[in-house]
Short mmCIF file of all heavy atoms in Angstrom, two decimals:
data_model
loop_
_atom_site.label_atom_id
_atom_site.label_comp_id
_atom_site.label_asym_id
_atom_site.label_seq_id
_atom_site.Cartn_x
_atom_site.Cartn_y
_atom_site.Cartn_z
N MET M 1 0.81 -1.19 0.00
CA MET M 1 0.00 0.00 0.00
C MET M 1 0.86 1.26 0.00
O MET M 1 0.62 2.17 -0.75
CB MET M 1 -0.91 -0.05 1.23
CG MET M 1 -1.84 1.10 1.32
SD MET M 1 -3.01 0.92 0.00
CE MET M 1 -3.82 2.44 0.03
N CYS M 2 1.87 1.28 0.87
CA CYS M 2 2.74 2.46 0.93
C CYS M 2 3.49 2.66 -0.38
O CYS M 2 3.65 3.79 -0.83
CB CYS M 2 3.73 2.33 2.08
SG CYS M 2 2.98 2.52 3.69
N GLN M 3 3.94 1.58 -0.98
CA GLN M 3 4.66 1.67 -2.25
C GLN M 3 3.78 2.33 -3.31
O GLN M 3 4.24 3.21 -4.04
CB GLN M 3 5.09 0.27 -2.71
CG GLN M 3 5.96 0.28 -3.94
CD GLN M 3 7.34 0.85 -3.68
OE1 GLN M 3 7.86 0.78 -2.57
NE2 GLN M 3 7.94 1.42 -4.69
N ILE M 4 2.52 1.94 -3.39
CA ILE M 4 1.58 2.53 -4.36
C ILE M 4 1.37 4.00 -4.04
O ILE M 4 1.46 4.87 -4.91
CB ILE M 4 0.25 1.77 -4.36
CG1 ILE M 4 0.43 0.36 -4.91
CG2 ILE M 4 -0.81 2.53 -5.17
CD1 ILE M 4 -0.77 -0.55 -4.71
N LEU M 5 1.08 4.31 -2.79
CA LEU M 5 0.78 5.68 -2.39
C LEU M 5 1.95 6.63 -2.66
O LEU M 5 1.79 7.66 -3.30
CB LEU M 5 0.44 5.70 -0.89
CG LEU M 5 0.13 7.06 -0.30
CD1 LEU M 5 -1.19 7.58 -0.84
CD2 LEU M 5 0.09 6.98 1.21
N TYR M 6 3.13 6.25 -2.21
CA TYR M 6 4.28 7.15 -2.32
C TYR M 6 4.92 7.17 -3.70
O TYR M 6 5.84 7.95 -3.94
CB TYR M 6 5.32 6.81 -1.26
CG TYR M 6 4.89 7.28 0.12
CD1 TYR M 6 4.31 6.40 1.02
CD2 TYR M 6 5.04 8.60 0.50
CE1 TYR M 6 3.90 6.83 2.28
CE2 TYR M 6 4.64 9.05 1.74
CZ TYR M 6 4.06 8.15 2.62
OH TYR M 6 3.65 8.58 3.85
N THR M 7 4.46 6.36 -4.63
CA THR M 7 5.01 6.41 -5.98
C THR M 7 4.00 6.83 -7.03
O THR M 7 4.37 7.04 -8.17
CB THR M 7 5.60 5.04 -6.39
OG1 THR M 7 4.59 4.04 -6.32
CG2 THR M 7 6.78 4.66 -5.50
N THR M 8 2.73 6.99 -6.67
CA THR M 8 1.73 7.36 -7.67
C THR M 8 0.86 8.55 -7.32
O THR M 8 0.34 9.21 -8.21
CB THR M 8 0.79 6.17 -7.98
OG1 THR M 8 0.12 5.78 -6.78
CG2 THR M 8 1.55 5.00 -8.56
N VAL M 9 0.67 8.87 -6.07
CA VAL M 9 -0.20 9.99 -5.67
C VAL M 9 0.63 11.27 -5.61
O VAL M 9 1.60 11.35 -4.85
CB VAL M 9 -0.87 9.70 -4.30
CG1 VAL M 9 -1.71 10.88 -3.87
CG2 VAL M 9 -1.70 8.43 -4.38
N PRO M 10 0.29 12.27 -6.43
CA PRO M 10 1.11 13.47 -6.55
C PRO M 10 1.49 14.13 -5.22
O PRO M 10 2.62 14.59 -5.06
CB PRO M 10 0.25 14.41 -7.39
CG PRO M 10 -0.57 13.48 -8.24
CD PRO M 10 -0.88 12.31 -7.34
N ASP M 11 0.59 14.19 -4.25
CA ASP M 11 0.90 14.84 -2.97
C ASP M 11 1.96 14.09 -2.17
O ASP M 11 2.54 14.64 -1.24
CB ASP M 11 -0.36 14.97 -2.11
CG ASP M 11 -1.33 15.99 -2.68
OD1 ASP M 11 -0.91 16.84 -3.50
OD2 ASP M 11 -2.52 15.94 -2.31
N TYR M 12 2.22 12.83 -2.50
CA TYR M 12 3.16 12.01 -1.73
C TYR M 12 4.43 11.62 -2.49
O TYR M 12 5.41 11.22 -1.87
CB TYR M 12 2.47 10.74 -1.23
CG TYR M 12 1.42 11.02 -0.20
CD1 TYR M 12 0.09 11.22 -0.57
CD2 TYR M 12 1.75 11.12 1.14
CE1 TYR M 12 -0.87 11.50 0.37
CE2 TYR M 12 0.79 11.39 2.10
CZ TYR M 12 -0.52 11.59 1.71
OH TYR M 12 -1.47 11.87 2.64
N VAL M 13 4.42 11.75 -3.80
CA VAL M 13 5.56 11.30 -4.62
C VAL M 13 6.88 11.92 -4.15
O VAL M 13 7.88 11.24 -4.03
CB VAL M 13 5.31 11.59 -6.11
CG1 VAL M 13 6.57 11.41 -6.93
CG2 VAL M 13 4.19 10.69 -6.65
N GLY M 14 6.88 13.19 -3.85
CA GLY M 14 8.10 13.87 -3.44
C GLY M 14 8.61 13.50 -2.07
O GLY M 14 9.73 13.79 -1.71
N ARG M 15 7.81 12.81 -1.28
CA ARG M 15 8.21 12.47 0.09
C ARG M 15 9.05 11.19 0.17
O ARG M 15 9.76 10.99 1.13
CB ARG M 15 6.97 12.29 0.97
CG ARG M 15 6.16 13.55 1.06
CD ARG M 15 4.94 13.33 1.89
NE ARG M 15 4.08 14.50 1.84
CZ ARG M 15 3.14 14.76 2.69
NH1 ARG M 15 2.91 13.93 3.69
NH2 ARG M 15 2.40 15.83 2.57
N GLY M 16 8.93 10.34 -0.83
CA GLY M 16 9.66 9.08 -0.81
C GLY M 16 9.00 8.05 0.10
O GLY M 16 8.25 8.38 1.00
N VAL M 17 9.31 6.80 -0.15
CA VAL M 17 8.74 5.70 0.63
C VAL M 17 9.43 5.65 1.99
O VAL M 17 10.63 5.82 2.09
CB VAL M 17 8.92 4.36 -0.12
CG1 VAL M 17 8.37 3.20 0.70
CG2 VAL M 17 8.23 4.42 -1.47
N HIS M 18 8.65 5.40 3.03
CA HIS M 18 9.21 5.30 4.38
C HIS M 18 10.25 4.19 4.44
O HIS M 18 10.08 3.14 3.84
CB HIS M 18 8.11 5.01 5.40
CG HIS M 18 7.22 6.18 5.63
ND1 HIS M 18 7.49 7.13 6.55
CD2 HIS M 18 6.06 6.55 5.04
CE1 HIS M 18 6.54 8.05 6.53
NE2 HIS M 18 5.66 7.71 5.62
N ASP M 19 11.29 4.42 5.20
CA ASP M 19 12.36 3.43 5.31
C ASP M 19 12.30 2.65 6.63
O ASP M 19 13.17 1.87 6.94
CB ASP M 19 13.72 4.08 5.17
CG ASP M 19 13.99 5.12 6.24
OD1 ASP M 19 13.09 5.39 7.06
OD2 ASP M 19 15.10 5.67 6.26
N ARG M 20 11.24 2.82 7.40
CA ARG M 20 11.12 2.13 8.69
C ARG M 20 10.54 0.74 8.46
O ARG M 20 9.53 0.58 7.81
CB ARG M 20 10.22 2.91 9.62
CG ARG M 20 9.99 2.20 10.95
CD ARG M 20 9.19 3.07 11.86
NE ARG M 20 10.02 4.19 12.28
CZ ARG M 20 10.39 4.39 13.54
NH1 ARG M 20 10.01 3.60 14.48
NH2 ARG M 20 11.15 5.41 13.83
N LEU M 21 11.21 -0.25 9.04
CA LEU M 21 10.70 -1.61 8.99
C LEU M 21 9.72 -1.82 10.14
O LEU M 21 9.94 -1.35 11.25
CB LEU M 21 11.84 -2.62 9.12
CG LEU M 21 12.90 -2.56 8.02
CD1 LEU M 21 14.03 -3.53 8.33
CD2 LEU M 21 12.28 -2.87 6.68
N LEU M 22 8.63 -2.53 9.89
CA LEU M 22 7.64 -2.75 10.93
C LEU M 22 8.22 -3.48 12.14
O LEU M 22 7.81 -3.24 13.26
CB LEU M 22 6.44 -3.52 10.37
CG LEU M 22 5.61 -2.77 9.34
CD1 LEU M 22 4.46 -3.64 8.87
CD2 LEU M 22 5.10 -1.46 9.86
N LYS M 23 9.19 -4.36 11.91
CA LYS M 23 9.76 -5.10 13.03
C LYS M 23 10.52 -4.20 13.99
O LYS M 23 10.76 -4.56 15.13
CB LYS M 23 10.66 -6.23 12.54
CG LYS M 23 11.93 -5.78 11.88
CD LYS M 23 12.76 -6.96 11.42
CE LYS M 23 14.05 -6.48 10.78
NZ LYS M 23 14.88 -7.59 10.37
N ASN M 24 10.89 -2.98 13.56
CA ASN M 24 11.59 -2.05 14.42
C ASN M 24 10.67 -0.98 15.01
O ASN M 24 11.09 -0.17 15.81
CB ASN M 24 12.71 -1.35 13.64
CG ASN M 24 13.76 -2.31 13.16
OD1 ASN M 24 13.99 -3.35 13.77
ND2 ASN M 24 14.39 -1.99 12.06
N ASP M 25 9.42 -0.98 14.62
CA ASP M 25 8.45 0.00 15.07
C ASP M 25 7.91 -0.39 16.45
O ASP M 25 7.67 -1.55 16.73
CB ASP M 25 7.31 0.06 14.05
CG ASP M 25 6.34 1.18 14.36
OD1 ASP M 25 5.48 0.95 15.24
OD2 ASP M 25 6.43 2.24 13.75
N SER M 26 7.71 0.56 17.33
CA SER M 26 7.26 0.25 18.69
C SER M 26 5.85 -0.34 18.72
O SER M 26 5.50 -1.04 19.67
CB SER M 26 7.31 1.50 19.56
OG SER M 26 6.42 2.48 19.07
N ILE M 27 5.04 -0.09 17.73
CA ILE M 27 3.69 -0.66 17.68
C ILE M 27 3.73 -2.10 17.21
O ILE M 27 3.03 -2.96 17.73
CB ILE M 27 2.79 0.15 16.72
CG1 ILE M 27 2.70 1.62 17.15
CG2 ILE M 27 1.42 -0.47 16.61
CD1 ILE M 27 1.99 1.87 18.44
N PHE M 28 4.53 -2.40 16.22
CA PHE M 28 4.52 -3.70 15.55
C PHE M 28 5.59 -4.69 16.02
O PHE M 28 5.59 -5.83 15.63
CB PHE M 28 4.66 -3.53 14.04
CG PHE M 28 3.53 -2.76 13.43
CD1 PHE M 28 3.68 -1.43 13.09
CD2 PHE M 28 2.31 -3.38 13.19
CE1 PHE M 28 2.64 -0.73 12.52
CE2 PHE M 28 1.27 -2.68 12.62
CZ PHE M 28 1.42 -1.36 12.29
N ARG M 29 6.50 -4.26 16.85
CA ARG M 29 7.62 -5.14 17.19
C ARG M 29 7.20 -6.40 17.92
O ARG M 29 7.93 -7.37 17.95
CB ARG M 29 8.69 -4.39 17.95
CG ARG M 29 8.30 -3.99 19.34
CD ARG M 29 9.45 -3.30 20.06
NE ARG M 29 8.95 -2.70 21.28
CZ ARG M 29 9.30 -1.52 21.71
NH1 ARG M 29 10.17 -0.81 21.04
NH2 ARG M 29 8.79 -1.04 22.82
N ASP M 30 5.99 -6.41 18.52
CA ASP M 30 5.52 -7.61 19.21
C ASP M 30 4.67 -8.51 18.31
O ASP M 30 4.12 -9.50 18.77
CB ASP M 30 4.75 -7.26 20.47
CG ASP M 30 3.49 -6.46 20.19
OD1 ASP M 30 3.33 -5.97 19.06
OD2 ASP M 30 2.66 -6.33 21.10
N GLY M 31 4.57 -8.17 17.05
CA GLY M 31 3.83 -9.00 16.11
C GLY M 31 2.85 -8.19 15.28
O GLY M 31 2.54 -7.06 15.60
N TYR M 32 2.39 -8.79 14.22
CA TYR M 32 1.52 -8.12 13.26
C TYR M 32 0.07 -8.59 13.35
O TYR M 32 -0.83 -7.91 12.89
CB TYR M 32 1.97 -8.41 11.82
CG TYR M 32 3.38 -8.03 11.49
CD1 TYR M 32 4.46 -8.72 12.02
CD2 TYR M 32 3.63 -7.00 10.63
CE1 TYR M 32 5.75 -8.38 11.71
CE2 TYR M 32 4.92 -6.64 10.30
CZ TYR M 32 5.98 -7.33 10.84
OH TYR M 32 7.25 -6.99 10.53
N ALA M 33 -0.17 -9.75 13.89
CA ALA M 33 -1.46 -10.43 13.79
C ALA M 33 -2.65 -9.55 14.20
O ALA M 33 -3.67 -9.54 13.52
CB ALA M 33 -1.45 -11.71 14.61
N ASN M 34 -2.52 -8.81 15.28
CA ASN M 34 -3.65 -8.00 15.76
C ASN M 34 -3.56 -6.54 15.34
O ASN M 34 -4.39 -5.74 15.74
CB ASN M 34 -3.75 -8.08 17.29
CG ASN M 34 -4.11 -9.47 17.75
OD1 ASN M 34 -4.86 -10.18 17.09
ND2 ASN M 34 -3.59 -9.85 18.89
N GLU M 35 -2.57 -6.20 14.55
CA GLU M 35 -2.35 -4.80 14.20
C GLU M 35 -2.70 -4.44 12.75
O GLU M 35 -2.98 -3.29 12.46
CB GLU M 35 -0.88 -4.42 14.42
CG GLU M 35 -0.31 -4.79 15.77
CD GLU M 35 -0.95 -4.05 16.93
OE1 GLU M 35 -1.63 -3.04 16.71
OE2 GLU M 35 -0.75 -4.49 18.06
N MET M 36 -2.66 -5.41 11.86
CA MET M 36 -2.79 -5.12 10.43
C MET M 36 -4.23 -5.20 9.96
O MET M 36 -5.01 -6.04 10.41
CB MET M 36 -1.94 -6.09 9.62
CG MET M 36 -0.45 -6.04 9.97
SD MET M 36 0.30 -4.43 9.70
CE MET M 36 0.38 -4.41 7.94
N GLY M 37 -4.56 -4.33 9.03
CA GLY M 37 -5.86 -4.35 8.38
C GLY M 37 -5.72 -4.92 6.98
O GLY M 37 -4.63 -5.25 6.53
N ILE M 38 -6.85 -5.00 6.29
CA ILE M 38 -6.86 -5.49 4.91
C ILE M 38 -7.34 -4.35 4.02
O ILE M 38 -8.42 -3.80 4.22
CB ILE M 38 -7.80 -6.71 4.77
CG1 ILE M 38 -7.29 -7.84 5.66
CG2 ILE M 38 -7.90 -7.14 3.31
CD1 ILE M 38 -8.27 -9.00 5.77
N PHE M 39 -6.51 -3.98 3.04
CA PHE M 39 -6.86 -2.93 2.09
C PHE M 39 -7.51 -3.52 0.85
O PHE M 39 -7.12 -4.59 0.38
CB PHE M 39 -5.60 -2.17 1.62
CG PHE M 39 -5.09 -1.20 2.62
CD1 PHE M 39 -4.06 -1.53 3.48
CD2 PHE M 39 -5.64 0.06 2.70
CE1 PHE M 39 -3.57 -0.63 4.40
CE2 PHE M 39 -5.17 0.98 3.62
CZ PHE M 39 -4.13 0.62 4.47
N SER M 40 -8.48 -2.79 0.32
CA SER M 40 -9.05 -3.15 -0.98
C SER M 40 -9.33 -1.85 -1.72
O SER M 40 -9.43 -0.79 -1.12
CB SER M 40 -10.34 -3.96 -0.80
OG SER M 40 -11.31 -3.21 -0.09
N GLY M 41 -9.44 -1.92 -3.04
CA GLY M 41 -9.74 -0.75 -3.84
C GLY M 41 -8.58 -0.33 -4.72
O GLY M 41 -7.68 -1.11 -5.00
N SER M 42 -8.62 0.93 -5.15
CA SER M 42 -7.59 1.46 -6.04
C SER M 42 -7.50 2.97 -5.85
O SER M 42 -8.36 3.58 -5.22
CB SER M 42 -7.94 1.16 -7.50
OG SER M 42 -9.07 1.92 -7.89
N ILE M 43 -6.47 3.56 -6.44
CA ILE M 43 -6.33 5.01 -6.37
C ILE M 43 -7.51 5.70 -7.02
O ILE M 43 -8.03 6.69 -6.52
CB ILE M 43 -5.00 5.45 -7.01
CG1 ILE M 43 -3.85 5.02 -6.12
CG2 ILE M 43 -4.97 6.95 -7.24
CD1 ILE M 43 -2.49 5.30 -6.67
N VAL M 44 -7.99 5.17 -8.12
CA VAL M 44 -9.09 5.79 -8.86
C VAL M 44 -10.40 5.71 -8.08
O VAL M 44 -11.12 6.70 -7.94
CB VAL M 44 -9.25 5.12 -10.25
CG1 VAL M 44 -10.48 5.64 -10.95
CG2 VAL M 44 -8.01 5.36 -11.09
N SER M 45 -10.73 4.53 -7.55
CA SER M 45 -12.02 4.36 -6.88
C SER M 45 -11.96 4.62 -5.38
O SER M 45 -12.98 4.72 -4.71
CB SER M 45 -12.55 2.94 -7.11
OG SER M 45 -11.70 1.98 -6.52
N GLY M 46 -10.76 4.74 -4.85
CA GLY M 46 -10.59 4.94 -3.41
C GLY M 46 -10.27 3.62 -2.73
O GLY M 46 -10.47 2.55 -3.29
N TYR M 47 -9.74 3.70 -1.54
CA TYR M 47 -9.37 2.51 -0.78
C TYR M 47 -10.27 2.35 0.42
O TYR M 47 -10.79 3.31 0.97
CB TYR M 47 -7.92 2.62 -0.30
CG TYR M 47 -6.91 2.40 -1.39
CD1 TYR M 47 -6.30 3.45 -2.02
CD2 TYR M 47 -6.58 1.11 -1.80
CE1 TYR M 47 -5.38 3.26 -3.02
CE2 TYR M 47 -5.67 0.90 -2.81
CZ TYR M 47 -5.07 1.98 -3.41
OH TYR M 47 -4.16 1.78 -4.40
N MET M 48 -10.44 1.11 0.82
CA MET M 48 -11.15 0.79 2.05
C MET M 48 -10.24 -0.09 2.90
O MET M 48 -9.59 -0.99 2.38
CB MET M 48 -12.46 0.06 1.78
CG MET M 48 -13.19 -0.31 3.06
SD MET M 48 -14.82 -0.97 2.78
CE MET M 48 -15.69 0.54 2.38
N LEU M 49 -10.20 0.19 4.18
CA LEU M 49 -9.43 -0.61 5.12
C LEU M 49 -10.40 -1.31 6.05
O LEU M 49 -11.28 -0.68 6.64
CB LEU M 49 -8.49 0.27 5.94
CG LEU M 49 -7.81 -0.39 7.14
CD1 LEU M 49 -6.78 -1.42 6.66
CD2 LEU M 49 -7.17 0.64 8.04
N THR M 50 -10.25 -2.61 6.18
CA THR M 50 -11.04 -3.39 7.12
C THR M 50 -10.10 -3.85 8.21
O THR M 50 -9.03 -4.41 7.95
CB THR M 50 -11.66 -4.63 6.43
OG1 THR M 50 -12.44 -4.17 5.32
CG2 THR M 50 -12.53 -5.41 7.39
N HIS M 51 -10.48 -3.59 9.46
CA HIS M 51 -9.63 -3.96 10.59
C HIS M 51 -10.49 -4.46 11.74
O HIS M 51 -11.47 -3.81 12.11
CB HIS M 51 -8.82 -2.75 11.05
CG HIS M 51 -7.90 -3.04 12.20
ND1 HIS M 51 -6.77 -3.82 12.06
CD2 HIS M 51 -7.94 -2.67 13.49
CE1 HIS M 51 -6.16 -3.91 13.23
NE2 HIS M 51 -6.85 -3.22 14.11
N THR M 52 -10.14 -5.59 12.29
CA THR M 52 -10.83 -6.12 13.46
C THR M 52 -10.06 -5.72 14.71
O THR M 52 -8.85 -5.94 14.80
CB THR M 52 -10.90 -7.66 13.38
OG1 THR M 52 -11.60 -8.00 12.18
CG2 THR M 52 -11.60 -8.24 14.57
N ILE M 53 -10.76 -5.11 15.64
CA ILE M 53 -10.13 -4.70 16.89
C ILE M 53 -10.44 -5.76 17.94
O ILE M 53 -11.59 -6.09 18.20
CB ILE M 53 -10.65 -3.33 17.34
CG1 ILE M 53 -10.30 -2.28 16.28
CG2 ILE M 53 -10.11 -2.96 18.71
CD1 ILE M 53 -10.89 -0.92 16.53
N VAL M 54 -9.38 -6.31 18.52
CA VAL M 54 -9.51 -7.37 19.52
C VAL M 54 -9.49 -6.73 20.91
O VAL M 54 -8.57 -6.00 21.24
CB VAL M 54 -8.38 -8.40 19.38
CG1 VAL M 54 -8.49 -9.47 20.44
CG2 VAL M 54 -8.39 -9.01 17.98
N VAL M 55 -10.51 -7.03 21.71
CA VAL M 55 -10.57 -6.53 23.08
C VAL M 55 -10.64 -7.75 24.00
O VAL M 55 -11.57 -8.52 23.92
CB VAL M 55 -11.79 -5.63 23.30
CG1 VAL M 55 -11.85 -5.15 24.73
CG2 VAL M 55 -11.77 -4.46 22.32
N ASN M 56 -9.65 -7.89 24.85
CA ASN M 56 -9.65 -8.96 25.84
C ASN M 56 -10.18 -8.40 27.14
O ASN M 56 -9.82 -7.30 27.55
CB ASN M 56 -8.24 -9.51 26.05
CG ASN M 56 -7.72 -10.19 24.81
OD1 ASN M 56 -8.47 -10.85 24.10
ND2 ASN M 56 -6.44 -10.03 24.53
N GLY M 57 -11.02 -9.15 27.81
CA GLY M 57 -11.52 -8.59 29.05
C GLY M 57 -12.35 -9.48 29.88
O GLY M 57 -12.68 -10.53 29.92
#
């Protein structure tokens, strides 16, 4: 998703793709399973993100 955004959308092209790896990020370093969403769509029609939020209690 980031690769598409930062290489095709005019407002972001000049910023370059982020160089941070998720494994080094403080949010994702403990795993991806409960953090990642699913993207669908395109630049032309727009994107939708589906994400399930897990609440233990």
Side-chain angles (χ1 to χ4, degrees):
M1 182 69 190
C2 288
Q3 186 69 28
I4 293 169
L5 179 69
Y6 285 99
T7 59
T8 60
V9 178
D11 290 341
Y12 292 92
V13 168
R15 298 178 187 198
V17 178
H18 289 272
D19 61 356
R20 177 175 289 245
L21 299 175
L22 293 180
K23 69 180 181 178
N24 297 332
D25 187 279
S26 63
I27 301 293
F28 297 102
R29 69 177 169 221
D30 63 347
Y32 302 70
N34 293 326
E35 310 294 345
M36 301 300 286
I38 299 170
F39 283 97
S40 61
S42 69
I43 289 176
V44 174
S45 64
Y47 285 99
M48 178 172 285
L49 169 69
T50 303
H51 181 71
T52 301
I53 298 173
V54 178
V55 179
N56 294 322

